[in-house]
Amino acid sequence: MTDSFVYAAARTPFGRYSGALADVRPDDLAATALTGLLAKAPDLDPGRIDDVYWGNANGAGEDNRNVGRMAVLLAGLPTNVPASTVNRLCGSSLDAAIIGSRAIAAGDAEIVVIGGVESMTRAPWVLPKPSRAFPAGNLEAVSTTLGWRLVNPGMPAEWTISLGECNERLGEKYGISRDRQDAFAARSHQLADKAWNDGFYDSLTVPAGDLTRDEGIRADSSAEKLARLKPSFRREGTITAGNASPLNDGAGAVLLGTAAAAFHIGFDPIARIAGRGAYALDPQDFGFAPVQAAETALRRAGIGWSDVGAVELNEAFAVQSLACVDAWGIDPEIVNTRGGAIAIGHPLGASGARILGTLAHVLLERNQRWGVAAICIGVGQALAVVLENCNP
């Protein structure tokens, strides 16, 4: 089996729902991330890219018809470069990375681009077709922005409760207080703001539209301010708009290849994909699924948590992030050291590419050998990838 390596990463800044990127189509966002990534490898002939795997969760609007292929064409790559769109909801672009790395491992590819995109702002309302023509009653348009839609009546009601209610139950089960959630969320904003001010994201992002910095970061956030917000899902609940990830627009991309691909890319890789893990449980428990996904990836990498120096865990909700960190028994200070999705944003299909690219660069910055990227996925799933720093 051939090892697969991360060579470079690029993403757009993430825009807030109905914010700075509201007028930018998702296929254009994808093309922007792809163009920005390839600009980092000017010696690479784009025609040598064996395949593109692109994550996207909704796919109901301008991101339809294989948005990965649309990104390749809009970015001006040679038409011989193929592309596929991957949908594992929030984990779509991390799944794309897993698929791309497996293609390399199997010898089916030498150079692969993976990425993902989501415009939650531009996700359309959909109108289901009636089973018979000319219905006499009204039809309801359904939002495709987030969560369950057009639910199959055969699904148990317990499985289709809201994402927020799922995580209120998780918080109850593991005794995670509102105070801890708000402190975790405030930390996310403070670290993300510091990362931008330090220049950490300068080399990882490319402007999109007029946006040059993640739009949702609140530099003045504090646990005290977040404590004033009202619960979003229960009257006496703990989850608020401040301690959960927002709705966002954005795209990200990562360049993968074999060790020998360095000759064509023009520089050496920065990290090796050492382990991959997927896990699933009851749909309503999705927030806790990264626990076992990460354990699986670590086992396949042949290491344990004591070896890990950095973790990028997508912050869908503060409560589920804390539940996972607690279960792993790791030092919270190694988690999301450059901010997380609560501050940066969570454009569903793009988040996996973001955490993977960020992790590779955090390992370099912190001079750590091993890192884990993990993400929870609605309907009870999670993915994780272990990276090994090539330059520890």
Side-chain angles (χ1 to χ4, degrees):
M1 301 292 282
T2 303
D3 281 335
S4 51
F5 295 86
V6 173
Y7 277 84
R11 67 173 177 88
T12 69
F14 289 172
R16 292 186 64 85
Y17 185 85
S18 195
L21 298 180
D23 293 333
V24 184
R25 289 173 57 111
D27 46 4
D28 285 328
L29 284 173
T32 296
L34 181 53
T35 302
L37 176 70
L38 295 182
K40 295 176 176 292
D43 294 338
L44 174 62
D45 173 6
R48 295 197 67 93
I49 297 171
D50 293 297
D51 216 338
V52 174
Y53 300 100
W54 206 262
N56 180 244
N58 283 330
E62 297 156 339
D63 46 6
N64 74 90
R65 297 288 294 170
N66 188 1
V67 69
R69 177 62 171 168
M70 300 304 141
V72 165
L73 298 176
L74 289 168
L77 273 65
T79 56
N80 69 288
V81 177
S84 175
T85 297
V86 178
N87 186 349
R88 204 190 287 240
L89 301 182
C90 303
S92 295
S93 53
L94 197 60
D95 206 11
I98 289 173
I99 293 167
S101 68
R102 285 176 179 153
I104 291 168
D108 291 338
E110 183 179 23
I111 299 172
V112 166
V113 171
I114 70 93
V117 67
E118 211 74 53
S119 175
M120 300 178 81
T121 298
R122 299 179 72 85
W125 292 279
V126 296
L127 194 66
K129 283 186 176 180
S131 57
R132 290 185 292 273
F134 312 117
N138 297 325
L139 292 177
E140 180 182 3
V142 179
S143 173
T144 65
T145 297
L146 180 69
W148 291 89
R149 75 289 305 254
L150 304 177
V151 179
N152 189 309
M155 282 284 184
E158 181 74 3
W159 289 356
T160 62
I161 59 176
S162 74
L163 303 180
E165 175 59 23
C166 289
N167 283 282
E168 286 284 8
R169 296 183 183 189
L170 187 68
E172 283 182 337
K173 181 176 181 179
Y174 292 103
I176 299 172
S177 68
R178 167 75 183 269
D179 289 346
R180 283 191 71 196
Q181 294 175 53
D182 288 342
F184 183 87
R187 174 183 180 269
S188 184
H189 284 279
Q190 292 157 7
L191 292 178
D193 180 62
K194 184 178 187 301
W196 274 102
N197 293 339
D198 290 346
F200 176 82
Y201 287 118
D202 291 351
S203 65
L204 277 170
T205 55
V206 292
D210 295 326
L211 193 61
T212 58
R213 174 177 164 129
D214 296 316
E215 191 175 13
I217 299 170
R218 299 183 184 276
D220 62 348
S221 183
S222 68
E224 292 73 25
K225 290 181 179 179
L226 292 173
R228 301 177 194 139
L229 299 178
K230 294 181 179 179
S232 298
F233 301 99
R234 292 182 181 179
R235 179 173 294 181
E236 302 299 327
T238 63
I239 298 174
T240 72
N243 60 33
S245 61
L247 307 179
N248 295 96
D249 311 326
V254 180
L255 180 62
L256 304 181
T258 63
F263 176 80
H264 302 293
I265 293 171
F267 50 85
D268 292 331
I270 58 177
R272 179 178 72 92
I273 294 180
R276 299 168 287 253
Y279 189 69
L281 33 63
D282 288 350
Q284 68 271 23
D285 297 329
F286 75 94
F288 200 64
V291 173
Q292 189 57 49
E295 299 283 358
T296 300
L298 287 168
R299 185 178 69 252
R300 290 172 177 166
I303 63 170
W305 279 114
S306 61
D307 301 299
V308 174
V311 175
E312 285 293 318
L313 172 61
N314 193 60
E315 299 167 355
F317 295 83
V319 65
Q320 63 82 208
S321 299
L322 288 165
C324 292
V325 172
D326 289 351
W328 290 327
I330 59 175
D331 181 358
E333 292 306 309
I334 71 170
V335 179
N336 299 349
T337 59
R338 289 309 200 170
I342 289 173
I344 293 168
H346 179 24
L348 309 176
S351 289
R354 178 189 72 80
I355 62 173
L356 189 67
T358 300
L359 178 64
H361 284 80
V362 166
L363 289 174
L364 288 175
E365 178 190 55
R366 293 168 61 88
N367 196 32
Q368 295 291 329
R369 181 177 179 183
W370 299 101
V372 175
I375 192 166
C376 69
I377 301 166
V379 202
Q381 299 192 82
L383 294 173
V385 169
V386 173
L387 291 185
E388 181 184 19
N389 185 357
C390 290
N391 307 281

